[in-house]
Amino acid sequence: MDPDGEVVGLILARGGSQAIPLKNIRPLQGRPLILRSLECMLEFGRFSSIWVSTDHPQIADCVLEAYPCVHIFHRSPEHAHDTASSIAAVREFIHAQSGITHVALIQCTSPFLGVAYLERAWDLTLKGYQSVFSVTRQKKLRWSEIRPGACQYTTPLNFDPAHRPRRQDWAGELVENGMFYWASRDLIEQGVLQGTQSAYVEVDPADSLEIDTELDWMLAELRLLRE
C-alpha cells in the first residue's frame, strides 16, 4: 500500500436488524453500540476519513450528534434489505467515492474493538497485503453434520479420534470473528473482501464477542460491568 493512499474507515449500519431492532444505536452500558466503534476508530487516527453507511435517519442522527466529523453515506434501499450482502454495500460506497485505495470495514457489532488491533491491521496493509481480517483462535473438535433421514455416519473434520489432541498440545484453528475486514479497492471491485494475498490479525478470545442475539448482548453487558 502506498503510505499516502486514502484508507477510509467504514461502518455498515442498516436499520432493519431483525434479532435486535436498531441494535447499532441501542445503548450498551449507557453508550450506543455504534459509538463505541467510532470512538476507537477516531482514537486510532490513521483513517483519511470515517464513514457510516446507513439507510436509517435515526442512526445518522445518533452518529452526527456525537461525532460531527464522521461522514454519512446514505445507503440505497437496494443494498439495505435483509438479504443484501456486505460486499455489495461496500461496492456501492466506493463507487460514489474517488481516490480511495483501501477500505477498513469495521463491524460495530464487535464492541471490544481495540486500537491495538487496528494498528496491526494497518501495519500489515502497509506491507502490501491486499486484505487483512480479524480472527480468533478456537480449540474445538468438529464433526460432520448428518442430515435428517440420511443413512450415513458422522466423521471427524479436524482431528483423529484415535489421537485426540490435548488442549495444551494443540494450536487450534483460526476462525473469522467478524470484527473487521480491510481490503484494497481492486479487491472490492472484484466482489470480495479477501483475496489470495491475505493476512490476519489474531484477536484475544475475550475481545471476540460479536453481538447477534440478546444473549450476546447480555454477555457484553456483563463483561463491561466487570471492567
Side-chain angles (χ1 to χ4, degrees):
M1 182 186 79
D2 180 352
D4 298 321
E6 187 170 344
V7 184
V8 303
L10 174 66
I11 290 178
L12 302 179
R14 194 169 59 87
S17 173
Q18 297 298 315
I20 306 176
L22 284 176
K23 69 178 175 182
N24 297 307
I25 56 173
R26 178 173 167 177
L28 179 65
Q29 281 294 296
R31 187 160 178 76
L33 184 61
I34 194 171
L35 299 189
R36 293 180 174 275
S37 296
L38 288 171
E39 181 180 22
C40 183
M41 294 165 73
L42 288 164
E43 183 182 350
F44 170 62
R46 302 284 192 92
F47 296 127
S48 301
S49 56
I50 297 175
W51 293 76
V52 172
S53 170
T54 186
D55 63 321
H56 202 287
Q58 198 172 337
I59 294 175
D61 290 345
C62 175
V63 168
L64 293 176
E65 182 178 350
Y67 298 119
C69 59
V70 172
H71 304 276
I72 300 297
F73 178 78
H74 297 283
R75 199 188 319 186
S76 68
E78 177 186 357
H79 299 297
H81 56 78
D82 288 345
T83 58
S85 67
S86 294
I87 185 62
V90 177
R91 289 182 72 183
E92 178 191 35
F93 168 73
I94 66 167
H95 288 166
Q97 314 296 324
S98 61
I100 294 174
T101 59
H102 289 73
V103 172
L105 176 61
I106 309 296
Q107 308 275 61
C108 68
T109 49
S110 296
F112 303 113
L113 173 72
V115 171
Y117 298 133
L118 298 181
E119 291 281 3
R120 292 176 205 167
W122 178 269
D123 290 343
L124 288 167
T125 304
L126 285 176
K127 289 179 179 179
Y129 290 101
Q130 281 185 311
S131 59
V132 181
F133 57 97
S134 58
V135 301
T136 190
R137 192 174 297 273
Q138 291 187 356
K139 296 187 177 184
K140 295 183 178 180
L141 306 181
R142 297 185 293 109
W143 292 78
S144 62
E145 181 181 4
I146 298 178
R147 298 181 181 276
C151 296
Q152 66 185 76
Y153 300 102
T154 186
T155 56
L157 294 175
N158 65 343
F159 74 104
D160 178 358
H163 303 282
R164 291 175 64 90
R166 296 192 309 163
R167 186 177 182 83
Q168 61 267 38
D169 297 333
W170 183 36
E173 297 178 320
L174 298 178
V175 180
E176 288 185 31
N177 71 351
M179 184 177 282
F180 55 75
Y181 299 86
W182 298 46
S184 68
R185 187 186 189 102
D186 290 344
L187 206 57
I188 295 167
E189 291 283 12
Q190 296 171 35
V192 293
L193 291 170
Q194 295 149 307
T196 55
Q197 299 173 13
S198 293
Y200 61 83
V201 172
E202 186 171 344
V203 173
D204 190 295
D207 295 333
S208 289
L209 178 66
E210 186 175 13
I211 296 180
D212 289 318
T213 67
E214 288 287 353
L215 177 59
D216 297 330
W217 197 280
M218 287 188 289
L219 291 171
E221 291 272 11
L222 288 172
R223 156 82 185 268
L224 289 168
L225 280 172
R226 296 183 63 180
E227 290 184 346

